[in-house]
Every structure is written in structure tokens, then in C-alpha cells.
Amino acid sequence: GNVGDFVAATVIPDSAAGGTTRSLEATLENAIAQNVVSPTATAESKVMSVGTPLLGDNSEAAQGESAVISGMQVNMSGLPGLDVENKKIVVDNDHFYSWINEIYLHMHEYEGFQVSMTGFVFKNPNTMEADEFVPARLTMSCCVADLMPSGLLCKYDKAADLTADSWVTVEGTVQLTKFRNFDDVRIHVTAVYPAEEVEGYIYPY
């Protein structure tokens, strides 16, 4: 029922929603006012860590560590890969979407954590700076026609050297930032390694 429910880093292509573009800030404010997600909330041709609704991962495979960080209970779904003592998160391929959701929802608690995740290099010069990219996975909320790349925006001084659509494993630090008046999160990249392609789409529902 609020902005925190439609989390995390869906990358919005220019062609989304038939090319319709409106202010993401206005869209989010409208969603807050109505307590619903506007159907056009993903029509903004800009990258921000807000997008489609996400669900927690309650599968049997989710056997990770719940914890209290900075006084906040986090990782309630028990996603694997959390190491609170060493401030590290290793995002496995089966829990990619759920971890993005978790990091976005608790960005203040995870600030400064080291994170590792695998995705394909997504860039858009119309919406990203030269040092930005997203290690993405394709997310399908309904059918193939609505496939969208999802992931966390990364800042990397060698982003221009990365080949679009190539698969990489990214290591970096969770940082807080601002998108207009909204809190946002990004990964400050410290290393990028070639990776094998992860087959299949993500189904958030």
C-alpha cells in the first residue's frame, strides 16, 4: 500500500507503456495519495530504484539469516547469502529479485554492506550517466511482451568499457543517494568479472 511496496530497481526503457512518459515524482506522489500503484508508474524513461511490485521469497530455498541491523528487523523471508558480521550479501541467481527488494526496502540498514550479484549489462545513454549501468535480469509480470530488465543501478568508473548485454558478476558497496526528493540506493562498484549467462526469466508473482 505505499511506495515501499513497489520497490526496487526496475529499469524503465524508453519504449515502456507505448512510449508514454510522465514525471516519476508525480506518479509516485499520486500513488501515495491514492494508496495504489498507478498503471503508468513504469512509464518514466529514467532509471530509479522504483518499479513493479515485489514479493518476499518464502520458498523452501529461502533458509538464510534474519537479523536486526541498526535496530531494524531485516531479511524476514530468510533469504540466503546474508553475512551480518562481515557486512556482506551474496545474491544467488534464484533470489535475485527478492534480494533487490530486500535491499531497497531496508537501504538504510544495508548501507555500507558489500554485495555481489550476477546479471547482464544494461545501459541506456538517454537515461544513464557514462559511469552507470545495471547488472540486470529480465522480469516478467504477465507475458513476454512486458519483459523488463530489473536490477540495482551501479556506479562504475569503467562502465563505458563494459559490453552491453554481456553477463557479469558485480561486487560493490551499497550506497544511499537521492532521486529528486526520494531516497534511493545504488551500488558503488569495486570489481566486475565475466559470468555465465543465467537462463530464464524472473517471475515476481
Side-chain angles (χ1 to χ4, degrees), residues 105-116:
L105 282 174
H106 300 113
M107 64 178 76
H108 295 277
E109 285 68 47
Y110 291 121
E111 182 181 13
F113 271 60
Q114 302 297 307
V115 63
S116 172

Side-chain angles (χ1 to χ4, degrees), residues 1-10 23-38 41-42 48-55 97 100-108 178-185:
N2 54 48
V3 171
D5 293 331
F6 2 100
V7 190
T10 295
S23 165
L24 180 58
E25 185 174 39
T27 300
L28 289 175
E29 290 171 353
N30 183 58
I32 294 169
Q34 296 185 27
N35 207 34
V36 296
V37 183
S38 167
T42 57
M48 181 189 175
S49 295
V50 174
T52 54
L54 304 180
L55 301 178
Y97 202 53
I100 291 172
N101 180 26
E102 171 68 17
I103 292 170
Y104 186 84
L105 282 174
H106 300 113
M107 64 178 76
H108 295 277
K178 286 282 187 180
F179 180 85
R180 298 181 184 172
N181 295 324
F182 300 99
D183 288 338
D184 202 5
V185 63

Side-chain angles (χ1 to χ4, degrees), residues 152-172:
L152 291 175
L153 184 66
C154 291
K155 299 286 282 187
Y156 181 46
D157 58 3
K158 298 180 181 178
D161 297 334
L162 299 177
T163 302
D165 299 326
S166 63
W167 284 83
V168 294
T169 295
V170 172
E171 295 179 354

Side-chain angles (χ1 to χ4, degrees), residues 72-118:
M72 174 70 72
Q73 186 78 28
V74 299
N75 197 25
M76 294 296 289
S77 296
L79 300 173
L82 175 62
D83 180 348
V84 175
E85 183 177 353
N86 294 303
K87 298 187 69 173
K88 291 184 179 180
I89 301 168
V90 177
V91 178
D92 69 26
N93 296 327
D94 292 336
H95 302 93
F96 181 91
Y97 202 53
S98 295
W99 258 120
I100 291 172
N101 180 26
E102 171 68 17
I103 292 170
Y104 186 84
L105 282 174
H106 300 113
M107 64 178 76
H108 295 277
E109 285 68 47
Y110 291 121
E111 182 181 13
F113 271 60
Q114 302 297 307
V115 63
S116 172
M117 64 180 64
T118 296

Side-chain angles (χ1 to χ4, degrees), residues 11-14 45 47 122-129 132-133:
V11 178
I12 313 303
D14 292 333
S45 57
V47 175
F122 179 86
K123 300 189 215 178
N124 187 334
N126 296 322
T127 60
M128 296 182 190
E129 302 296 332
E132 295 179 339
F133 76 103

